[in-house]
Amino acid sequence: MQDPIKILGVPVHAMTMQEAVKTLEERMLAKEQTFVVTANAEIIMMCHENAEYKKIICEDAELVLPDGAGAVWAGRHLGYKVPERVAGFDLYNELLDLSAHKSYKAYFFGGSPGVAEAAKAKAEELYPGVQVVGCHNGYFKDEDVPQIIADINASGADMLFVALGAPKQEKWLVAHRAELNAKILMGIGGSFDVLAGKMERAPKWMQDASLEWAFRLYKQPSRFMRMMALPKFVIKVMASKF
Ligand code: UDP
């Protein structure tokens, strides 16, 4: 795997979507477990504010990809070659497509009751042949965890998608990865909601114009405080250049 670039001290693998999928598949076939994080500006800023989370992203994740216009801009502003944005939702869909073609098994864990199942139904419509071998919602008690892990392992899943929101999903994956047999471990935030049609994603033109954050804020004004990380991120990146 190529050496990562550093954005505010966080290692980021500046690769294309195609390279990311190829890397994940090769490692899966080699039976190497990969904890993959699609890091946007919010996640990179979270690393600055929370030492435990920083360790998870900087030391535990094997693959950290540049998600969001902010991460791509930052990498380029710092003088690195960042070929493209590798958004979590897009990578999730690419891996589902791969599952459909190669019969790799996927497990959907997270979201409100019924959402993972609705995302599974949509995945089966979009990617005929996709192997979604199990679902579990993301509202559980600590004592349920052993049963959830047993269910994931019994399903024979190769890829585990966890939608508990950041940083909960990354913390959960790192705490339990040693007990999990799946080879691709990925936190995907609200992606089941988007795939299931419960939450809208920004239109393509807004994604292309780096305005996905504005769409998100318009749809979920409650994210305002979280999104204050974005201007802070820009200032920090500009300052870090000098
Ligand atoms: N969620 C969950 N369990 C929890 C908290 C959240 O399953 O204890 C789910 C929630 O239903 C939603 C997703 O996690 O589907 C969080 O989505 P969001 O877009 O907020 O993700 P983030 O941007 O925080 O990664």
Side-chain angles (χ1 to χ4, degrees), residues 40 42-43 109-112 115 137-140 163-170 188-193 199 216 220 223 226:
N40 57 19
E42 259 181 68
I43 287 186
F109 171 37
S112 302
V115 172
N137 74 69
Y139 293 86
F140 56 90
L164 303 176
K168 191 172 178 180
Q169 60 203 14
E170 286 80 20
I188 57 166
S191 295
F192 296 154
D193 300 283
M199 200 169 71
R216 204 104 202 253
Q220 290 174 280
R223 296 180 79 92
R226 274 183 67 170

Side-chain angles (χ1 to χ4, degrees), residues 11-188:
V12 176
H13 293 92
M15 49 175 73
T16 63
M17 174 65 79
Q18 233 190 341
E19 288 165 343
V21 173
K22 187 165 173 276
T23 302
L24 287 167
E25 185 183 17
E26 282 172 358
R27 287 178 59 93
M28 180 177 77
L29 293 174
K31 306 258 179 279
E32 284 178 290
Q33 194 181 56
T34 310
F35 168 37
V36 54
V37 174
T38 51
N40 57 19
E42 259 181 68
I43 287 186
I44 296 173
M45 284 305 286
M46 230 187 278
C47 289
H48 271 261
E49 281 145 22
N50 181 328
E52 184 197 355
Y53 193 63
K54 183 172 186 179
K55 183 194 166 291
I56 289 176
I57 305 301
C58 298
E59 295 173 30
D60 296 318
E62 281 83 17
L63 192 61
V64 182
L65 298 162
D67 185 359
V72 173
W73 165 81
R76 290 178 183 164
H77 183 76
L78 295 171
Y80 299 111
K81 193 171 168 290
V82 183
E84 64 182 349
R85 170 181 176 212
V86 184
F89 183 74
D90 296 332
L91 179 58
Y92 164 55
N93 277 265
E94 290 290 334
L95 292 171
L96 293 177
D97 191 37
L98 187 70
S99 155
H101 286 96
K102 305 265 185 90
S103 295
Y104 301 141
K105 295 175 184 160
Y107 192 103
F108 291 1
F109 171 37
S112 302
V115 172
E117 286 81 358
K120 172 182 188 300
K122 189 68 190 177
E124 286 166 352
E125 189 187 313
L126 292 175
Y127 307 106
V130 69
Q131 303 287 312
V132 183
V133 291
C135 296
H136 196 289
N137 74 69
Y139 293 86
F140 56 90
K141 299 193 192 79
D142 283 349
E143 57 262 36
D144 301 330
V145 170
Q147 185 52 49
I148 294 172
I149 291 175
D151 190 51
I152 295 168
N153 286 339
S155 74
D158 305 296
M159 312 173 184
L160 172 62
F161 297 103
V162 180
L164 303 176
K168 191 172 178 180
Q169 60 203 14
E170 286 80 20
K171 288 185 182 174
W172 191 90
L173 277 166
V174 166
H176 300 291
R177 64 181 297 177
E179 304 154 73
L180 291 161
N181 297 335
K183 293 294 177 253
I184 297 176
L185 309 175
M186 181 176 172
I188 57 166

